[in-house]
Amino acid sequence: MDHATASAEALAGLSRGAPSRGRLLRRRAWDSRYLFVLFLPGMLYFLVFRYVPIYGLAIAFKDYNFFDGIMGSPWVGLAVFKEVFASKGFWEVFRNTLGISILQFAFGFPAPIVFALLLNEVVKIRAKKVFQTISYLPHFVSWVILAGLFTQFLSPSTGPINVLIKALGGKPVYFMADTKWFVPVLVATEVWKSIGWGSIIYLAAISSIDTEMYEAAEIDGAGRWARMRYLTLPSLAPTITVMLILAIGKLVNDNFDQIFNMYNPSVYKVADVISTYVYRKGLEDMEYAYATAVGLFKNLIAFAMVLGANKLAKRINGNGIW
Amino acid sequence: MPSAAIRRSGGDRAFDAFNYLVMILLSLTTLYPFFFLISSSLSALDVTLGSFSLLPRQFTLENYAKVLRNPAIGAGYVNTILRTVIGTSLSLLATFCLAWPLSKRSFPLRNLWTGLIVFTMFFSGGMIPTYLLVRQLGLIDTIWALVLPELVTAYNFVIVRNYMQTIPGSMEESAKMDGANDITILFRVILPVCKPIIATISLWVAVWHWNAWFDSMIYMTKASGQVVQLVMRRIVLEGSDQMTQMMAEMQRQGLVIAPEGLKAATIMVTTLPILCIYPFVQKYFVKGVMMGSLKG
């Protein structure tokens, strides 16, 4: 039947013929003229500020100099990329990026799930709201401020943690400048910042679980722990799957704001990541082509990973993330 | 729930106690660094800090007085407020004007335009090409360098468009009968029913602008043009001994090595507005996260 209607429509389209179709389109465009006025500034913005930089990626394949501009500079093919891949610095930041991302994922991914599960078990609504609101606080404070805060907080001389270590007879630890400690600090502060905010999506999923299931479980004699473990957690599985895939798709991304504000030359060896490297190479050393090539390489991997992640989500869930 | 409370078993009570303990510890972990900061900012300048107590040593407001007298902080504040107000209003205007035509099925080439916009969520030119563009356009050292590059994000666009698609067409049709054109309809009919999403997006963009600092660092070459976060960054991060090697060329413009209490007060002054408003606005943010989790 569907087939029949479709071909009937196709026939009708054919019989109308091409010129009238064109007229129809023109008519639709004329009817939308006021909408065009609304649409134009926003679309122009996207073309200029989002697509011109994508076109600007061409300088990764050029011997760029400012006076000739993007168009005028001579093409050099993959020479810049060869230089990137041959440099030791690039592979070091690439390794650091993956290392830090994987660690932040390993700790940062499960933390909001556990937090949501526990928060859901707080019976008093008032208390729950208070815990929840407090947990959102760090999300609203930017890394530039948090970096200032943690520099003070972890200071070897006056920070409370080191005061405690010294009081217990230990040696003060220079958290922000010690290559052994800097990455754990990055991971811990990232978890600290995002645990509450990350739990929103899981709390929403929990709130959509049918309350009758809880009542049934209670009648069957399931305690709080049992209900959490055997009812709430399994109900979250689809959400967790989607979030997991999204998180894996983002593994090659690094947190520029966090690292740039917290790192310093003494920990570059472990903390310098792709985006900070791009910044220093590009905007401080003005090696525009080199820095653009590094950024493009990362963007391509990130893009491929997100596409792959969505495909995986489609296979598992039956529908993709978008 | 009350019946459950009465029949709670011993195991449940132990679970509850444990749960509250974890929640309270977690809340303290979240708040403690901020309390520590407030306490240091209220401690006298000549006192060597170095305790984990939350009470300020020799209570004083001297640090705040000094910070607020610093002209760089005042100028930074003006710049931050300016970019937040201009940036947020223009952002809202552009996002809603763009989302309305593209929420209509009849708009020519709608799928092409939407596809072009959504693509930018997953792929971008990145730091260097964007910087070169801003420079080429002559926006360096103007407020437009802070306003234009992030004027509309694909994410906000998708959320607004999805919301607009749920508005029943009947509202628009009756306005059309009265002879209103699409622009009048957007401002008179559609935007008034978009109030919840306007609240969410404007708060979202405003907090983003308030917290932004990187664009100011790379696009504003004069000290007088910088936002307060960057002024704070200079005083606190680049002034501290471990960061002195960083950003050498910026430090040449005037390095301030401030004592701990003064640094703490500087951080507090920068972030106080956010700390004060966030409990009241967080619910709008939460709503935004939920809307974003729906498919675009």
Side-chain angles (χ1 to χ4, degrees):
Chain A
M1 204 171 91
D2 279 347
H3 190 74
T5 12
S7 49
E9 264 172 19
L11 266 173
L14 270 177
S15 67
R16 245 189 273 129
S20 80
R21 254 184 104 83
R23 216 169 52 212
L24 214 72
L25 256 171
R26 270 203 299 279
R27 168 144 200 122
R28 226 172 70 183
W30 177 246
D31 283 346
S32 311
R33 63 196 183 279
Y34 288 106
L35 290 175
F36 261 115
V37 174
L38 292 168
F39 158 86
L40 210 60
M43 201 62 221
L44 260 175
Y45 158 78
F46 268 96
L47 294 180
V48 173
F49 283 94
R50 306 280 176 179
Y51 278 92
V52 171
I54 290 176
Y55 161 74
L57 286 169
I59 66 174
F61 306 94
K62 290 193 164 209
D63 182 15
Y64 179 76
N65 69 75
F66 190 63
F67 296 102
D68 293 335
I70 296 169
M71 294 246 262
S73 299
W75 291 96
V76 292
L78 292 174
V80 182
F81 282 91
K82 275 188 195 131
E83 191 193 336
V84 168
F85 295 140
S87 83
K88 230 179 81 202
F90 169 73
W91 292 111
E92 191 178 274
V93 298
F94 193 66
R95 249 200 328 274
N96 287 343
T97 304
L98 283 182
I100 293 169
S101 289
I102 288 171
L103 276 174
Q104 288 192 333
F105 165 76
F107 289 93
F109 185 76
I113 302 174
V114 174
F115 179 68
L117 287 173
L118 291 180
L119 189 67
N120 181 51
E121 295 298 326
V122 174
V123 185
K124 288 208 180 77
I125 304 230
R126 252 295 201 16
K128 192 170 166 179
K129 273 253 154 67
V130 170
F131 290 142
Q132 204 171 356
T133 305
I134 290 175
S135 77
Y136 294 160
L137 169 61
H139 173 80
F140 288 89
V141 185
S142 68
W143 273 116
V144 62
I145 283 161
L146 292 179
L149 174 64
F150 282 116
T151 312
Q152 300 261 71
F153 193 70
L154 298 172
S155 143
S157 50
T158 56
I161 297 203
N162 272 310
V163 169
L164 189 68
I165 291 175
K166 278 185 276 187
L168 294 173
K171 264 204 193 130
V173 179
Y174 209 157
F175 289 103
M176 304 288 261
D178 187 328
T179 49
K180 275 205 308 288
W181 280 101
F182 190 75
V183 173
V185 166
L186 286 180
V187 174
T189 52
E190 165 62 26
V191 172
W192 176 86
K193 190 180 198 288
S194 61
I195 183 167
W197 197 253
S199 70
I200 291 175
I201 212 103
Y202 300 110
L203 286 167
I206 289 173
S207 71
S208 67
I209 300 173
D210 193 349
T211 47
E212 274 177 32
M213 303 237 289
Y214 283 101
E215 281 155 23
E218 212 182 310
I219 291 164
D220 289 347
R224 298 280 293 285
W225 171 257
R227 269 180 277 160
M228 187 173 103
R229 170 73 187 75
Y230 297 106
L231 181 54
T232 316
L233 188 58
S235 311
L236 280 182
T239 313
I240 294 176
T241 313
V242 171
M243 299 305 284
L244 185 72
I245 290 166
L246 274 179
I248 291 171
K250 284 183 191 147
L251 271 184
V252 71
N253 291 334
D254 49 44
N255 190 342
F256 177 82
D257 276 24
Q258 181 193 21
I259 294 173
F260 185 75
N261 283 307
M262 286 172 75
Y263 82 163
N264 55 82
S266 53
V267 290
Y268 276 1
K269 215 176 72 187
V270 294
D272 197 13
V273 288
I274 293 176
S275 59
T276 50
Y277 185 66
V278 168
Y279 169 78
R280 288 203 321 279
K281 280 283 170 196
L283 297 185
E284 280 183 5
D285 303 345
M286 304 218 232
E287 293 180 35
Y288 294 128
Y290 184 93
T292 304
V294 173
L296 173 57
F297 179 68
K298 192 213 87 171
N299 280 0
L300 284 175
I301 296 180
F303 186 57
M305 281 175 80
V306 169
L307 285 188
N310 191 51
K311 222 174 204 153
L312 200 64
K314 246 178 206 155
R315 189 169 301 165
I316 294 171
N317 269 16
N319 52 9
I321 296 152
W322 62 85
Chain B
M1 275 299 158
S3 68
I6 296 162
R7 285 189 279 109
R8 267 192 300 178
S9 68
D12 277 2
R13 240 174 290 143
F15 178 89
D16 254 353
F18 166 78
N19 196 16
Y20 271 101
L21 188 72
V22 171
M23 284 294 145
I24 289 167
L25 278 178
L26 215 60
S27 301
L28 287 180
T29 314
T30 305
L31 292 177
Y32 183 66
F34 293 100
F35 284 144
F36 165 75
L37 193 72
I38 295 170
S39 148
S40 330
S41 72
L42 293 170
S43 298
L45 267 178
D46 49 348
V47 160
T48 28
L49 293 165
S51 87
F52 35 87
S53 125
L54 286 179
L55 292 175
R57 300 267 194 96
Q58 295 181 28
F59 179 87
T60 175
L61 290 172
E62 185 60 23
N63 294 320
Y64 284 95
K66 275 220 165 82
V67 169
L68 292 176
R69 269 201 302 269
N70 182 344
I73 295 275
Y77 243 91
V78 171
N79 290 331
T80 297
I81 292 170
L82 217 60
R83 74 166 292 175
T84 303
V85 171
I86 298 176
T88 308
S89 2
L90 285 183
S91 224
L92 277 183
L93 192 68
T95 305
F96 280 79
C97 286
L98 182 63
W100 172 236
L102 291 176
S103 74
K104 294 161 98 57
R105 272 180 200 292
S106 62
F107 193 73
L109 303 178
R110 173 176 98 132
N111 290 339
L112 170 72
W113 306 122
T114 308
L116 279 173
I117 293 170
V118 171
F119 179 73
T120 64
M121 247 199 263
F122 306 103
F123 193 80
S124 71
M127 193 188 287
I128 307 301
T130 309
Y131 170 79
L132 292 175
L133 170 72
V134 170
R135 204 168 71 172
Q136 215 107 49
L137 291 175
L139 302 180
I140 298 284
D141 281 326
T142 70
I143 190 146
W144 305 113
L146 309 181
V147 168
L148 291 180
E150 291 288 319
L151 188 69
V152 184
T153 68
Y155 189 77
N156 290 352
F157 161 79
V158 169
I159 287 176
V160 174
R161 188 209 56 178
N162 286 357
Y163 190 90
M164 284 172 161
Q165 278 171 339
T166 65
I167 299 172
S170 55
M171 297 186 64
E172 188 196 334
E173 272 152 33
S174 62
K176 268 226 164 108
M177 300 270 221
D178 296 341
N181 66 41
D182 285 309
I183 299 174
T184 322
I185 290 174
L186 172 64
F187 286 94
R188 292 274 165 78
V189 182
I190 302 303
L191 289 189
V193 294
C194 283
K195 266 184 199 139
I197 189 85
I198 293 177
T200 299
I201 301 283
S202 53
L203 285 168
W204 212 324
V205 177
V207 170
W208 182 85
H209 268 291
W210 189 275
N211 283 333
W213 56 278
F214 182 68
D215 46 6
S216 174
M217 185 174 91
I218 61 176
Y219 298 138
M220 305 308 249
T221 57
K222 297 192 189 95
S224 61
Q226 264 140 18
V227 297
V228 72
Q229 281 69 17
L230 208 60
V231 178
M232 189 271 326
R233 189 177 193 281
R234 287 255 186 90
I235 296 173
V236 175
L237 290 181
E238 292 160 32
S240 69
D241 47 1
Q242 51 177 316
M243 300 261 180
T244 36
Q245 289 160 291
M246 246 169 89
M247 310 284 308
E249 95 257 20
M250 288 217 150
Q251 283 168 357
R252 246 175 270 133
Q253 296 171 17
L255 170 73
V256 196
I257 297 180
E260 305 297 309
L262 210 54
K263 286 186 191 172
T266 313
I267 302 175
M268 278 309 296
V269 164
T270 315
T271 192
L272 206 60
I274 295 277
L275 295 186
C276 291
I277 62 154
Y278 107 88
F280 307 103
V281 301
Q282 45 107 355
K283 63 167 189 246
Y284 296 100
F285 280 77
V286 173
K287 235 192 262 162
V289 173
M290 315 288 269
M291 283 187 275
S293 70
L294 299 175
K295 288 216 281 181

